[in-house]
Amino acid sequence: MNRHSSPYASAGYLINEHLEKRRGLKSLAFDTSSKKKGGVPDKSTYATVCKTLQHLSILNSILNANNKSIRKKIDFDNIRNKGLLYVMLYELLFGKYKSIRGGGKLKRLIIKCEKELRLLAVEFGSDAVVNGGVQFPRYIRVNTLQSNTKDMVDKLKDDLAVKLNEKSDESNNSDSQNTSNTAQQIYVDAHVPDLLVLPPTASSWLHRDYEPVKSGKIILQDKSSCFSALVMAQGLGNTTEEEKPFDYIDACAAPGNKTSHLAALINSSLPNVVSSKKKKKKNANTNKATSTIFAFERDGKRHTILQERMNQLVPTISEGSNKVAVEQPIHGDFLRSDPTDPQFANVKAIMLDPSCSGSGIVNSPDRWMEETSNDDNKKDEKRIQSLSNFQLVALKHSMQFPNVDRIVYSTCSVHDEENEMVVSKALSEIEKPDDESEEWVLMPPVCLQHWKRRGKEGVGGLSKDQADCLVRCDGLDGDETNGFFVTYLVRRRLLTEKKERREIEDVGIPIYNGEFVDMCKHQSSVTALTTATESTSESTKESSKHATQSKKQQLEKKTTTTSNKATENKKIAKKREKKLAWKRKQALLKTERLKKKEAAAASKVDSA
């Protein structure tokens, strides 16, 4: 089937690339080479892809239900463009209009099973909420290399007020006004400097086409993914002695959010360089980097993305007042780098965030894995083991750099095999140095000393003290951020220093303390209520207990509309059944007439 024959062609292409080649949606979105394939998404296409992947589990459940009846009827295993099929199934069963635009062979195959599909969608409907209904506050990191927190807060407050006023005009009641007043607040995160916390509803207008995002002044980045650079820059806290600036390696840098974050944190911690205009005139080389980040990326497409992001987010030394340089991203495999290479002589820190399963991402389908049959689960187990082996090799290689005395290892996975097991094996398998002070040990990051969730004791033989050095995030257990894992490894000699946490700078903005928790729960309950309304009236009543009275009134219209659609669908199905029954009857009558004619002709032949 021609990929360009359907209005869902780009969405189908992205899903195929994501599922078959395990490429992240963000990487695909920034991949300019995809223009040749018609794959670069606009906002509408990207949203369709995300929603389809959010419902991927339920779609597979529907296909595999009743002994895989639907799968067999549409010949799923022989369909080449499975991404397009998933998009069409989502649009028909869970999309806004509950219909498929366009035509083609795939649509005809799906429509043949429409009645059965809709019944199964009702049966498995709650799964979609479980897999796609997790919501967090909207986190925004201010890129201090190009802007400052105060200016960005003023800009965001103005835009947020406009959006909320538009919504309040649509629903003018006290409850919505109270919600609006709560949502108008912008907070600063309690752990990550220059990370702003906005209500979850802000995600609807905060996207890559928003001007401050396009210009690189702010970065849409989840809180937990900020931990890697934070620990790298502030893991030791305020040390008793001022360290001389040194260089860093970002071993797996693409797409570059963590790299730019590290650059911003380092830049803000370095002392200001005093230089006069006279000195600048005399010496053209006064603008030199105080600290350099070497960013590695082995994949060609991701390396191009990394270059583009660095050009967008990190000004060159000559362009601004920053003192940190991100060297031309290295298109190469970090595992093949030489720890004794002279260019890395001043490198004392390595940030390692290698490829992982992405199993901790619960509010975005960007790196979800497809879960279907037992065979697929076995494949996933093999993939996790393969990833774990690679992660271990990368971590052990980082520990070989002679002048490096601190390493941050992180993943966005919740699997023990990729987290505690990797750390435990690295510590046990790395060769012990003659000087005990140079031995690698675990250290709890000072900047995250108040973070409660820690590693798992006993996994890989880790002691309680070792497990308490590790940081975990769980988006399904109240952490208000996606699942993440962070390890801080240092040379033993660094443990002797007295350490104090660097407090979040007071910029006149209140510190976030869970003010949007109820909004996130409210949004989830509304999502569940809407889905249940489309399923059965009984589940609607049950879900509505968790919504406010005003929301009940708003949803009555949706319920009426949905029930009318359901009635129309039933009528259409009945008409179709009657028509098919009539056709079958006519076919039988025709067969009987033909038999009578044949019998009459045979009798004539016999009589002759």
Side-chain angles (χ1 to χ4, degrees), residues 430-560:
I430 195 72
E431 184 179 351
K432 296 290 189 277
D434 295 333
D435 185 352
E436 189 176 304
S437 67
E438 294 300 307
E439 181 184 4
W440 286 105
V441 294
L442 296 175
M443 175 184 166
V446 177
C447 53
L448 292 175
Q449 63 186 20
H450 299 310
W451 189 263
K452 294 182 179 179
R453 195 179 302 280
R454 295 289 161 166
K456 297 181 180 180
E457 178 185 357
V459 176
L462 293 177
S463 66
K464 186 180 187 306
D465 288 341
Q466 288 178 312
D468 286 344
C469 293
L470 311 177
V471 173
R472 270 184 175 267
C473 304
D474 190 343
L476 298 177
D477 194 25
D479 284 345
E480 293 192 84
T481 184
N482 280 302
F484 209 75
F485 175 82
V486 185
T487 305
Y488 193 39
L489 298 107
V490 300
R491 302 283 188 182
R492 186 178 292 278
R493 57 182 159 79
L494 294 183
L495 294 177
T496 60
E497 299 182 8
K498 183 180 179 181
K499 304 161 187 71
E500 295 179 359
R501 180 175 182 262
R502 297 180 183 178
E503 297 299 327
I504 299 296
E505 183 182 355
D506 185 4
V507 291
I509 307 168
I511 294 177
Y512 181 70
N513 190 31
E515 283 78 4
F516 298 135
V517 170
D518 290 338
M519 287 190 67
C520 291
K521 289 180 179 178
H522 180 68
Q523 290 292 330
S524 296
S525 65
V526 171
T527 303
L529 181 58
T530 305
T531 305
T533 302
E534 295 170 353
S535 302
T536 61
S537 59
E538 290 183 6
S539 60
T540 301
K541 293 178 182 178
E542 186 64 24
S543 299
S544 63
K545 293 178 182 179
H546 304 288
T548 59
Q549 187 64 34
S550 61
K551 283 294 180 183
K552 287 182 181 179
Q553 295 173 354
Q554 294 177 23
L555 285 167
E556 284 178 359
K557 294 180 179 179
K558 293 184 179 180
T559 306
T560 304

Side-chain angles (χ1 to χ4, degrees), residues 30-94:
F30 286 108
D31 187 357
T32 54
S33 65
S34 294
K35 290 180 180 178
K36 298 176 182 179
K37 305 174 184 178
V40 174
D42 53 22
K43 287 187 292 183
S44 176
T45 299
Y46 192 83
T48 300
V49 171
C50 290
K51 290 175 182 177
T52 301
L53 291 176
Q54 283 177 342
H55 289 76
L56 189 61
S57 179
I58 184 175
L59 293 176
N60 282 321
S61 297
I62 290 171
L63 289 169
N64 294 328
N66 300 332
N67 197 25
K68 300 184 178 181
S69 61
I70 301 291
R71 180 184 287 260
K72 294 174 183 176
K73 288 178 182 178
I74 63 176
D75 198 17
F76 177 86
D77 295 330
N78 291 322
I79 291 175
R80 295 179 62 185
N81 197 341
K82 290 183 172 59
L84 182 59
L85 173 69
Y86 279 126
V87 174
M88 286 185 171
L89 285 173
Y90 163 75
E91 288 287 286
L92 179 68
L93 303 176
F94 305 106

